Amino acid sequence: MKGTPVQDLPTYEDVAAAARRIEGHAYKTPVLTSATLDKELGARVFLKAENFQRMGAFKFRGAYNALSRFTDAQKKAGVLAFSSGNHAQAIALSAKLLGIAATIIMPEDAPAAKLEATKGYGGRVVIYDRYSQDRDEVSRRVQEETGATLIPPFDHPDIIAGQGTAVKELIEEAGELDALFVCLGGGGLLAGSALAARGLSPEAEIYGVEPEAGNDGQQSFRAGSIVRIATPKTIADGAQTTALGALTFEIIRREARDILAVSDAELVAAMRFFAERMKIVVEPTGCLGLAGLRRSAEQVRGKRVGVIISGGNVDLHRFAALLAGSA
Amino acid sequence: MKGTPVQDLPTYEDVAAAARRIEGHAYKTPVLTSATLDKELGARVFLKAENFQRMGAFKFRGAYNALSRFTDAQKKAGVLAFSSGNHAQAIALSAKLLGIAATIIMPEDAPAAKLEATKGYGGRVVIYDRYSQDRDEVSRRVQEETGATLIPPFDHPDIIAGQGTAVKELIEEAGELDALFVCLGGGGLLAGSALAARGLSPEAEIYGVEPEAGNDGQQSFRAGSIVRIATPKTIADGAQTTALGALTFEIIRREARDILAVSDAELVAAMRFFAERMKIVVEPTGCLGLAGLRRSAEQVRGKRVGVIISGGNVDLHRFAALLAGSA
């Protein structure tokens, strides 16, 4: 990897433009605080609650931003995405709101609830067998049939800029920050958050937080080039990515202070804290930021810290099992 | 029961005065909405989220209001309460904030978590054996020793007025309402809510909602006098009261449109909706309002409806078991 040319990377201006496009369509989610957490850490912590975002996760921001930039011809031909998670629902809902046909390619073994949710938003779902069919081949076939534009889940300038709007809102409401803890899967949210922070709170130290089992981002950050891993086994299903993207890696390499990795047990402890003390439901991936912050207690004492709670989409039985310690 | 003389009942002015007293001490909790719920009911629903209140429930409002009216002599002698639930924590925390000594009388078999939480707020806990000791006798002894003022959990003008501040905030933020659904245990919240609504949204129809197993309020409302029942068996532990108070009954009798009763299964369904769709943790008692509203779908179509979510204090294992359907 030689790095992406500077001129191709999105900037703070793209985040600001995305914020104008999504205004009135995405929710302006609340910034929460907890006296208990502040006392525990000796810091002032501001948590951006994207579990209250439309469709339950920050992913709506990037998807809506990307689709609202479609030309008339693109709108007519529709959008295509592959995902079994929040990106699929974000594309399906954004497409519905903008009057664009959406096709979502999902594996046959995707959870029924996610399949139904995506259909519920009006998306056409194309199922493929991940053992006998190649997803890219299925995708190419749909693109040839329809002329639809493929929107990837993270490595796209409009997705990155859209995700950055959450941190833009956070800093506008809470003021400048000394540090920011953001969950890291493919890097769309972390890269966008870094761009937003550079524009509004330039001194803030940016930390990405990954599950230990899937620490490809940490490895990549330290190696200085993208490291690819096998699909990791972790409860943080939104961070089961196998590699960062070219754009997201380049931004993260330049802007992040460090990448931390936390255990599933630390994620469950954060999930319990959110439920018991803050009365909110957070999906395992959404717990990465708080778990990473707690790992960094020494460094943040006396500081103003931001945390992104990325989403709240977790199957209730799984959530209950994790809370009860039986998962 | 001949009814309480009019001049002794608190009014909207007392709610307004309580709002001034608690300002800056109680949280101004958010008013939540849900597109899914509005679609389900064909109504516009505004949910006042008191699960985000200090110590996790509306009870802080009444307790702080009552204690802030203490004379200097009362402050010096301290406050006394008996409760194994949210009232105990509300009194302990309010007393701590106001520099008043608090004694909380709790049964020996109170949950350890509640005992610890009350102690954590700085309250002195006096344990009694509910099988061999009389609570009123224990209470009298503490009062004789200390001269402390007893603050009951609901049947007190300052408690009622304080609880009414939640609906005052709700209507000030959401505008006038056609109907309001409020959980009903001893009646402090319902009576206070009715007073607030009479002042700010006089046409609003007020509904109290009880667990079916403990429908003493419904029986009392229909009989026109207070009906006393045995301690009911229901998951709504905050509504396991055996009778309304003289003040709360009189206000409810005058102001409520009706008292509804819902099953534990309806409470669990509401709890799941809150967790799955709204990403919030609500205790069983806090689910009464939504469950009662869903029972009234026909009457509320096309209307603007308020619901009070009274609190979020539920043991995580119990919460998990209820979500999973194994409780």
Side-chain angles (χ1 to χ4, degrees):
Chain A
M1 297 298 298
K2 277 280 179 271
T4 303
V6 179
Q7 66 270 24
D8 291 347
L9 294 177
T11 67
Y12 173 71
E13 293 312 317
D14 295 304
V15 177
R20 290 190 293 273
R21 275 180 217 114
I22 68 170
E23 193 175 347
H25 304 289
Y27 296 150
K28 203 177 160 200
T29 53
V31 174
L32 308 178
T33 58
S34 160
T36 308
L37 188 59
D38 284 359
K39 202 171 154 191
E40 175 192 319
L41 294 165
R44 193 88 181 88
V45 185
F46 302 91
L47 304 110
K48 180 70 171 167
E50 286 292 298
N51 52 332
F52 294 138
Q53 187 50 267
R54 282 185 95 146
M55 45 71 52
F58 73 95
K59 292 271 184 184
F60 179 76
R61 296 174 180 271
Y64 192 91
N65 183 50
L67 296 201
S68 65
R69 299 200 68 193
F70 271 24
T71 63
D72 286 348
Q74 282 181 303
K75 282 185 182 162
K76 219 169 149 185
V79 61
L80 172 68
F82 35 76
S83 159
S84 57
N86 288 331
H87 178 61
Q89 293 179 53
I91 289 286
L93 175 58
S94 299
K96 182 185 168 191
L97 295 170
L98 290 161
I100 298 172
T103 304
I104 312 293
I105 300 178
M106 279 186 161
E108 200 171 39
D109 54 356
K114 297 210 164 169
L115 202 146
E116 286 313 309
T118 306
K119 283 184 179 168
Y121 289 127
R124 170 191 164 215
V125 175
V126 172
I127 299 288
Y128 77 103
D129 176 350
R130 64 165 121 195
Y131 303 103
S132 68
Q133 288 180 288
D134 178 42
R135 188 186 65 183
D136 292 340
E137 174 54 38
V138 175
S139 164
R140 258 194 305 279
R141 208 188 59 224
V142 174
Q143 280 184 284
E144 277 166 18
E145 280 169 18
T146 60
T149 303
L150 176 72
I151 296 292
F154 51 85
D155 209 34
H156 186 291
D158 296 336
I159 295 288
I160 294 168
Q163 317 305 29
T165 59
V167 163
K168 181 172 182 288
E169 290 172 12
L170 169 61
I171 298 172
E172 283 168 351
E173 186 167 336
E176 290 201 34
L177 301 169
D178 299 309
L180 184 62
F181 291 80
V182 184
C183 53
L184 172 57
L189 182 63
L190 177 58
S193 297
L195 298 179
R198 281 300 155 263
L200 295 172
S201 183
E203 300 302 315
E205 295 190 333
I206 318 285
Y207 295 90
V209 189
E210 279 181 322
E212 272 175 359
N215 73 334
D216 62 290
Q218 190 180 53
Q219 292 184 48
S220 304
F221 187 77
R222 289 175 186 177
S225 63
I226 296 173
V227 173
R228 185 171 297 273
I229 59 169
T231 300
K233 199 167 147 50
T234 165
I235 59 168
D237 53 332
Q240 284 182 306
T241 38
T242 58
L244 298 178
L247 294 176
T248 57
F249 171 68
E250 189 56 28
I251 296 168
I252 291 165
R253 189 182 68 74
R254 292 172 190 210
E255 304 293 354
R257 176 78 177 74
D258 200 5
I259 309 296
L260 313 173
V262 298
S263 69
D264 280 6
E266 287 171 283
L267 294 180
V268 171
M271 179 183 267
R272 288 190 182 132
F273 179 86
F274 282 130
E276 188 159 32
R277 305 306 302 241
M278 298 189 66
K279 317 300 181 192
I280 58 175
V281 174
V282 180
E283 61 184 88
T285 308
C287 297
L288 283 163
L290 176 57
L293 167 59
R294 282 176 153 177
R295 273 270 179 116
S296 314
E298 286 298 313
Q299 294 102 288
V300 300
R301 214 174 303 288
K303 296 193 172 163
R304 297 169 50 79
V305 186
V307 170
I308 312 298
I309 298 171
S310 60
N313 290 335
V314 50
D315 172 83
L316 276 197
H317 282 91
R318 190 145 168 275
F319 180 62
L322 289 169
L323 287 185
S326 58
Chain B
M1 297 298 299
K2 278 280 178 269
T4 303
V6 179
Q7 65 272 25
D8 292 346
L9 293 176
T11 67
Y12 172 72
E13 294 312 318
D14 295 304
V15 177
R20 290 189 293 272
R21 274 181 219 116
I22 69 169
E23 195 177 344
H25 304 289
Y27 296 151
K28 205 178 158 199
T29 54
V31 175
L32 308 178
T33 58
S34 160
T36 308
L37 188 60
D38 285 359
K39 201 172 156 191
E40 174 193 320
L41 294 164
R44 191 89 182 88
V45 185
F46 301 91
L47 303 111
K48 180 71 171 167
E50 286 292 298
N51 52 332
F52 294 138
Q53 187 51 266
R54 281 184 99 146
M55 45 70 52
F58 73 94
K59 291 272 184 184
F60 179 77
R61 295 173 181 273
Y64 192 90
N65 183 51
L67 295 203
S68 65
R69 298 199 68 193
F70 270 25
T71 63
D72 286 346
Q74 282 180 303
K75 283 183 182 164
K76 219 169 150 186
V79 60
L80 172 68
F82 34 77
S83 158
S84 56
N86 288 330
H87 178 62
Q89 293 179 53
I91 289 287
L93 175 58
S94 299
K96 183 185 169 191
L97 294 171
L98 290 161
I100 299 172
T103 303
I104 312 294
I105 300 177
M106 282 187 159
E108 200 171 39
D109 55 354
K114 296 208 167 171
L115 201 144
E116 286 313 309
T118 305
K119 283 185 180 169
Y121 290 126
R124 170 191 164 214
V125 175
V126 172
I127 300 288
Y128 76 102
D129 176 351
R130 64 166 121 195
Y131 302 102
S132 69
Q133 289 181 284
D134 179 41
R135 187 185 65 182
D136 293 340
E137 175 53 36
V138 175
S139 165
R140 255 193 307 277
R141 208 189 59 225
V142 174
Q143 280 184 284
E144 277 166 18
E145 281 168 17
T146 62
T149 305
L150 175 73
I151 297 293
F154 50 86
D155 209 35
H156 186 292
D158 296 336
I159 295 287
I160 294 169
Q163 318 303 30
T165 59
V167 163
K168 180 170 182 287
E169 290 173 10
L170 168 63
I171 298 171
E172 284 169 349
E173 184 167 337
E176 289 201 35
L177 301 169
D178 299 307
L180 183 62
F181 292 79
V182 183
C183 53
L184 173 56
L189 182 63
L190 178 57
S193 298
L195 298 180
R198 279 301 153 263
L200 295 171
S201 181
E203 301 302 314
E205 294 190 332
I206 318 284
Y207 295 89
V209 189
E210 277 181 323
E212 270 175 1
N215 73 335
D216 62 289
Q218 189 181 55
Q219 291 184 49
S220 304
F221 187 77
R222 289 175 187 175
S225 64
I226 295 173
V227 173
R228 184 172 298 271
I229 60 170
T231 300
K233 201 169 143 51
T234 165
I235 60 168
D237 54 331
Q240 284 183 308
T241 38
T242 58
L244 298 178
L247 295 175
T248 58
F249 172 69
E250 188 57 29
I251 296 169
I252 291 166
R253 189 185 68 74
R254 292 172 191 209
E255 304 295 354
R257 176 80 179 71
D258 200 4
I259 308 296
L260 313 174
V262 299
S263 68
D264 279 5
E266 287 170 282
L267 294 180
V268 171
M271 179 182 268
R272 288 189 181 133
F273 179 87
F274 282 130
E276 188 159 33
R277 305 306 302 241
M278 298 189 68
K279 317 299 180 191
I280 58 175
V281 174
V282 181
E283 62 184 89
T285 308
C287 296
L288 283 162
L290 176 57
L293 166 60
R294 282 176 154 175
R295 273 271 179 113
S296 315
E298 287 298 314
Q299 295 102 286
V300 300
R301 215 174 301 287
K303 295 193 173 163
R304 296 169 50 80
V305 186
V307 171
I308 312 298
I309 298 171
S310 61
N313 291 336
V314 50
D315 172 82
L316 277 196
H317 283 92
R318 189 144 170 273
F319 181 62
L322 289 168
L323 287 184
S326 58

